[in-house]
Amino acid sequence: MSSLLIELKDIEKSYETADVVTQALKGIDFKIYGGDYFCVSGPSGCGKSTLLSILGLLDTPSKGAYFIEGKDVSKLNMDELSGIRNRQIGFIFQSFNLIDELSVFDNVALPLRYSEYKKQPEVIAQKVNRCLELVGLSHRVSHRPNQLSGGQQQRVAIARALVNDPAILLVDEPTGNLDSNSGDQIMDLLDELNAQGRTICMVTHDERYASRAKTQLRLLDGLIEQQHVQQAEAC
Amino acid sequence: MSELVYQLKYALAGIISRKSLSGGIIVTMGVTLAALFVAASLFYVLVVKPLPYPDQDRLYRVDQIQYDSKNKPNVNAYGYAGLIHLYRNQTVFDAVGLVDYNEEILSSNATQPRVFTSYVTPDFLTTIGAWTERGRLFGNDEALDSYGSAALLSFDAWQRLFGGADDILGRKLQVRGRSYSVVGVMSKAFVEPELAQIGRKTDIYLPWDHNPVGQNQRRSWTDRTNSRVFIGKLKAQYSAAQAEQITTQMLNQQWQINTRSIGFYRGWQIKMSLKSFAQVILGDSKKLAYLLMVCALSLLLIAVVNVANLLLSRAFERKREFAICASVGATNKDIFRAAFTESALLMLCAAFFGLTLAHLANGLMQRYLAGVLPLGNAAGTGAVLLGLGVVAALALAYVFAHISTYVLDFRQLKEALSGSGKGTGNQISKRVRNAFIVSQVALASIIVFVNLSFFVSANRAIDDPDIMITDNLISVRLSLAGDRGPSRDTNRSLMAEIAKKFQYMPIVEGVSLSRSPLDSSFNTWSLVELGSMMRVLPEAKNIDENYLTIAGAKLLDGRLLNAVDTVDRRRVLVINDVLAKRLAPNGSALGKLLSFNASAGANMAFEVVGVVKGMQLPGEHNIPPRIYRPLRSNDSLIIKLKPHQSLSKARIAAIVNDVSRQFAVYDHALVDEQKQDKLFNQYLSAAASIALTLVSLLLSAVGLYGIISYNIALRRTEIGIHLSVGATRRDVILLFLHDLIKPMALAFAIGAMATVFLYGYLEQYMQSVMVQFGFILGLLTFGFMTAICLFGTLRPLFIGFGRNTIDLLKGQD
């Protein structure tokens, strides 16, 4: 049995505008174990991305408890949350979120600049190059993001997510901005990473890619509609 | 029409949705346009607009300059006889006129007000194209030697002194004991040429023959009074230089004949000088107009850079919006039109804001500067300014719309739509961002530094410790209340009695029977030192024995004047150290004998009995050589009060009348206020430079803050990315501050180089300031700019930190 990595208890999230309160998540409970390939799917507006933002500590729940490796993160201050994002979470966004002014190398190195390795350029170079090799972009280190295709930019984003060796990869619609061929390649890469033991939590509305996950969670209107664990590979 | 309405609504919505950006642009351009409108109004009045006199390019003030035996100009003044000779015999002017400016009491009026009188020949008024509201101008009955008794009122005097009375024509009025009959009132639209003093407006015009010059003096060729002015309309065939040559030849010949017997004038000559009305009336004001215009244009440059930067940022932000428009069929022209409509609305708002400010500023100028600048009535004409404002606003809007759309690559606009809309925050390239910051900081630094230098320079002149102390001094001038005054001896004893009365008052510290040190009571004397036969031209002042003590003069050698000196009118002098050093560079000047005429012998010479430290008068850069001669004034006194005491004009009048009812208080002024008047240019310069500094700071603060904070706001996604990969807030702050270092350093380097370059042009103003305060001023400027940049960086960052990281990543507010 793998160790418990993430645990959500009765998570709720609501947004308030002038006269309307929107309940995006309405009491979500689940657990993610190490080495899992966890997928959250559902129709547009069901709360997938909100859930992923909360998992990635990019947003805070309105109610409920969130534990990472048994630690209640709701009690941490901003800097401690930054530390967890840096060391334990790798985020892959639908729109890549690369910095245009930085080269591919520097974009990938970004998390290391805020880590314990920030004063060790050799270690940074070694880690970055290894990750770029992993995603097949060793020949593009000096390029700028806007000189790359969409698929290549997403690979850079994956390399950046991996570079600090996080406990979990949080992936938000990784193929949303890509053509089907590039999308398939990215999904193959994620499969490969999971096969190597990397824990992945992915949000997608594409059932084709959702079915690749070991654990599938389907959301509808902020509630878990269905949770399915593939028996053959279930932990 | 509906298309225009749609465009306006669309633009208005854009402006309202970005309130702080729109507000920043309107304030920046409004303040700048206000400064530009004011400067342009002044420039128009002082430089462009022709003077309101017929054939104004042929009108000249003709001056007579007396040159001493070393061919140095000594005094600009006519002898009365020479003036009349020129008036009767000149051949180079089509028309000529004479005026003698005075200030007298209108004794026929119950309140006996002081009025400005001008004694004129009829042709003076016709030459300057004067016309009347009522009645007539002067004619043959008031011509030279006709001794007519008509009077003309200015429109303002008619309203102010006679309540605009309908039956004004034929009314009698009395000045200096003589009765005149009002024959006309000048037109309201007539603008008197300010030929002797800016801001002086004649109240009553009287016939030339009755001017206050005594009969003996009227025969004099060597009078040194410069209240009389000769004007002429030059004949078309002569140039000013030719006219100067011809009149000099004619008048100098007569002058030599008539001064031959006066030893003092041996070797002297006169030369005539023609100054155009434009030169006389506008004078240095033209320089001021040019300087203000340059400053206003510099501010405009800063503001245009500011606003262009802000609109560029806005254009980047609107890239996606434009892409959506393009995707549904908008052409480049359509997108330009949308940008232009928004810019035009913003600029029109700014123009109306600016016009309102300019209107207020023009009102203040008319109220406070009309006395020192020949503003006339034309500054700030509403319709012209309004037109100018609308045209300027539309022109600027066109430029800004071009700049805004120039940076957008229309071929790539559609690509902006390829993202899902989530997390596609806009980013402006680092180079563009840095160019914004460098241009802004460099320009603002230069302007702030230069203006601060001017301010410090003006302030030093105001607070100069060498300037004579004038605290608690009251200057009083008396005049005869009736037509006939007491005899000279009686007058002298009455004045002594009046002085004694004041001296006995417990609030009074001292009294001097002398004229105020600040009322131009110094005359230039041409003296020969009998030992070395060296000629000196010191400024001379008649004083009593108390003057130097009251004025706080520091005795360096010998003694001050005493009562015996003044009562007996002894031929002794106290001189200042400037003259003493000339007379005796290595020793004492005491005992030196100074005489007007070396051949008259030692008996007629003045002996130096004391040397005092030179006292600088306000507005003076260097202390000239000065002498003080013992001679009590017969109409003036200076009263020094004890600290925190005051003495009203009514109280002074009561004390004077206690002694004699033959005197009236003609003038009463705090010498400290006279000092403020003398330092008006320095105060004006200090106020203008500090105002410009503040406006520059305001503009650069709004601009820099706008640019930096707006760009940081646009970089929300980038901040989100850094935070999402684990950067702490400190990391992000340091990152953004680090980004500022290079452009700031470059900007200050450019600013420093430009200041060095400017120093070449402004050396005379900045030299001493640069040496003493250059480093501090540089540091101050650096501090201001850095503070603005820090504030512009940190505030939006902390606003960003207050939001969820995911919102930053999505580029949401």
Side-chain angles (χ1 to χ4, degrees), chain B residues 1 117 126 142 166 238 308 330 367-368 385 556 598 660 694 741:
Chain B
M1 186 63 190
T117 52
T126 50
E142 292 79 31
D166 277 340
Y238 293 115
R367 186 164 173 189
Y368 293 110
L385 275 184
L556 300 177
S660 167
L694 291 177
I741 293 174

Side-chain angles (χ1 to χ4, degrees), chain A residues 13 49 53 58-60 78-79 82-83 85-86 93-95 97-101 110-111 114 160 177, chain B residues 420 422-423 427-430 433 717-718 721-729 731 801 804-806 809:
Chain A
K13 178 70 182 179
S49 292
S53 297
L58 301 177
D59 205 347
T60 49
M78 296 294 282
D79 285 352
S82 293
R85 277 201 298 267
N86 184 250
F93 300 96
Q94 177 185 358
S95 54
N97 278 332
L98 300 174
I99 297 175
D100 287 341
E101 288 162 9
L110 206 57
Y114 304 119
R160 184 179 66 187
N177 281 357
Chain B
S420 72
K422 290 180 177 179
Q427 295 170 23
I428 294 178
S429 82
K430 200 168 186 174
R433 241 174 19 226
T717 309
E718 194 184 325
I721 293 170
H722 285 285
L723 291 173
S724 72
V725 298
T728 60
R729 286 176 295 182
D731 292 327
F801 292 151
N804 284 323
T805 311
I806 193 66
L809 280 168

Side-chain angles (χ1 to χ4, degrees), chain B residues 462 464-471 473 515-518 522 541 547-553 614-620 623 626 628 638 671-672 675 679:
Chain B
I462 292 167
D464 195 329
D466 288 336
I467 289 185
M468 177 178 182
I469 297 162
T470 52
D471 298 347
L473 292 184
R515 294 181 71 176
S516 164
L518 304 183
F522 285 96
K541 182 174 176 67
Y547 175 86
L548 290 170
T549 313
I550 281 179
M615 289 181 287
Q616 193 173 348
L617 297 182
E620 273 182 351
I623 302 172
R626 286 200 168 109
Y628 299 95
I638 305 168
V671 180
D672 207 35
K675 177 178 162 183
L679 287 170

Side-chain angles (χ1 to χ4, degrees), chain B residues 1-14:
Chain B
M1 186 63 190
S2 62
E3 161 71 9
L4 180 66
V5 171
Y6 169 75
Q7 290 279 358
L8 287 173
K9 277 167 73 175
Y10 185 57
L12 202 60

Side-chain angles (χ1 to χ4, degrees), chain B residues 608-627:
Chain B
V608 177
V609 295
V611 178
V612 291
K613 184 158 172 41
M615 289 181 287
Q616 193 173 348
L617 297 182
E620 273 182 351
H621 296 295
N622 299 306
I623 302 172
R626 286 200 168 109
I627 59 177

Side-chain angles (χ1 to χ4, degrees), chain B residues 502-521:
Chain B
F502 282 110
Q503 185 69 66
Y504 289 151
M505 291 178 78
I507 60 168
V508 171
E509 194 172 302
V511 180
S512 166
L513 285 170
S514 313
R515 294 181 71 176
S516 164
L518 304 183
D519 71 351
S520 309
S521 53

Side-chain angles (χ1 to χ4, degrees), chain A residues 47-80:
Chain A
K48 305 184 297 286
S49 292
T50 303
L51 179 60
L52 200 69
S53 297
I54 290 172
L55 286 173
L57 304 176
L58 301 177
D59 205 347
T60 49
S62 309
K63 194 187 155 196
Y66 176 21
F67 299 90
I68 295 179
E69 292 182 333
K71 194 175 197 175
D72 185 356
V73 296
S74 58
K75 295 193 169 74
L76 302 180
N77 66 28
M78 296 294 282
D79 285 352
E80 287 167 331

